[in-house]
Amino acid sequence: MQPLAVIGNVNVDLILGPADPWPTPGTEIMVDYDELRVGGSAGNAALTWDGLGFDFQIAANLGNDQFGEWLRQGFGKHSARWPVAPMGTTLSVGITHPNGERTFFTTRGHIAALSWLDVITSLDTERLKGGTAILCGSFLTDALVVQYDKLFDWADANDIRIALDTGWPIDGWTETNRIKARGWLARCHIALFNEVETTRLANSAEPAEAAHRLKALMPRDAIVVVKRGPDGALAVGSDDSLVSVNAPLVQVADTIGAGDVFNAAFLAALANDQTLGTSLAAGVRVASKAISTIPRRYDGEDTQTPPEEAL
């Protein structure tokens, strides 16, 4: 199996809900559920690999408070090289709603300070050669973003494929943010966006067409994946073929981090020399299990994903 790593944001998530109706300012409501857990795109991907039993590396940083120490303990040996930023830990409070949607309130915190030096000292480059690294949280990791060229040069020099999941920009998909993301895609071999991100970035309302447009910006052998939530996922392969898989029907408990879980399971299957369709199905299956179980599970044994469709 090819080696795996993830680079980006690890923070603390406090999940509360469901909130119905949204409280009037100055009032208080009681909710039925709360959970304090590791969060952030990189953290969610790493937890998925860990839950599935895969070996991996993770490059991240920590805040200089009790939450930072709690995160380090949660990742054990994987966090041994993580540096401590001179600021508090990024905290994200997620409020769930009865319809499955959620609202986030997030502090800037330590993740903005993650740098290229932090990344390169956290990873064992020799062990990662020939593998794949997820690069995520692009619009939150301010210090690292300005050094992306160094990261891409390092990846090229060591035969490491970069799989990009930028996340949603805080100020939306402005033209400036589109230009940035398109420039990053030109240096990446895998794109991992949800449906809305894909269509906004490509300026195309149809997901498959949008995926083809993004692939045209990338290296010839690139793969573009579109995560479609309850509608499954589709991908444009290195040969420009379009593959789609459906999602199983599940009782949704918590969708936070579903896309990150998909990323991890999809790339693990791909790294294990599975076909694009089989890898898509693995991502959908594991994400479906994760969003329908409390405590969260990743094994996917109880979900059945319909077969892939070549379009």
Side-chain angles (χ1 to χ4, degrees):
M1 182 172 176
Q2 299 165 0
L4 295 165
V6 60
I7 302 166
N9 52 319
V10 174
N11 55 262
V12 174
D13 276 357
L14 174 59
I15 313 302
L16 300 170
D20 183 33
W22 190 257
T24 302
T27 65
E28 180 179 8
I29 64 171
M30 300 297 291
V31 296
D32 295 327
Y33 175 74
D34 70 277
E35 183 180 1
L36 185 69
R37 68 189 186 200
V38 173
S41 294
N44 291 329
L47 288 178
T48 303
W49 284 332
D50 188 60
L52 293 171
F54 292 114
D55 185 38
F56 65 94
Q57 297 186 61
I58 176 171
N61 66 341
L62 298 164
N64 63 350
D65 53 17
Q66 289 180 321
F67 276 139
E69 183 58 32
W70 181 73
L71 287 173
R72 186 184 296 281
Q73 292 173 1
F75 282 96
K77 66 179 183 179
H78 291 100
S79 64
R81 299 183 182 182
W82 293 0
V84 177
M87 59 196 67
T89 299
T90 302
L91 174 65
S92 186
V93 179
I95 310 298
T96 64
H97 304 283
N99 64 356
E101 292 299 321
R102 64 266 197 210
T103 301
F104 292 99
F105 299 86
T106 304
T107 63
R108 179 66 64 177
H110 74 285
I111 58 177
L114 180 67
S115 69
W116 166 237
L117 180 60
D118 296 338
V119 169
I120 198 62
T121 55
S122 296
L123 297 175
D124 182 340
T125 299
E126 192 64 30
R127 190 157 63 93
L128 189 55
K129 285 184 176 180
T132 301
I134 306 174
L135 181 60
C136 51
S138 303
F139 295 106
L140 301 172
T141 51
D142 300 347
L144 180 59
V145 163
V146 299
Q147 299 172 306
Y148 264 10
D149 283 340
K150 292 182 179 180
L151 189 154
F152 293 137
D153 290 343
W154 161 81
D156 290 343
N158 291 283
D159 189 28
I160 298 168
R161 295 188 302 174
I162 297 295
L164 181 67
D165 183 351
T166 63
W168 189 269
I170 297 299
D171 52 348
W173 283 109
T174 64
E175 188 57 30
T176 298
N177 287 334
R178 287 192 182 98
I179 291 171
K180 288 179 182 178
R182 290 166 183 162
W184 301 332
L185 284 173
R187 305 291 305 273
C188 297
H189 287 83
I190 303 173
L192 298 164
F193 294 110
N194 67 33
E195 185 169 336
V196 178
E197 291 165 346
T198 302
T199 55
R200 295 287 179 87
L201 182 55
N203 277 327
S204 174
E206 206 283 312
E209 172 61 27
H212 279 289
R213 288 190 182 185
L214 294 187
K215 188 178 184 304
L217 305 173
M218 302 173 69
R220 181 173 296 180
D221 60 348
I223 296 170
V224 176
V225 175
V226 183
K227 297 170 283 188
R228 307 187 68 197
D231 294 323
L234 64 82
V236 177
S238 57
D239 60 355
D240 288 333
S241 62
L242 186 66
V243 178
S244 175
V245 298
N246 296 319
L249 293 174
V250 296
Q251 184 67 42
V252 174
D254 175 10
T255 61
I256 294 173
D260 309 320
V261 174
F262 173 96
N263 293 348
F266 167 78
L267 291 174
L270 210 61
N272 206 26
D273 295 324
Q274 298 299 306
T275 66
L276 181 58
T278 299
S279 300
L280 278 181
V284 169
R285 183 177 63 252
V286 175
S288 297
K289 170 62 72 173
I291 67 172
S292 60
T293 51
I294 297 177
R296 182 161 280 187
R297 288 173 54 192
Y298 304 98
D299 52 71
E301 292 176 352
D302 299 331
T303 58
Q304 297 295 321
T305 304
E308 64 190 81
E309 301 172 4
L311 303 180

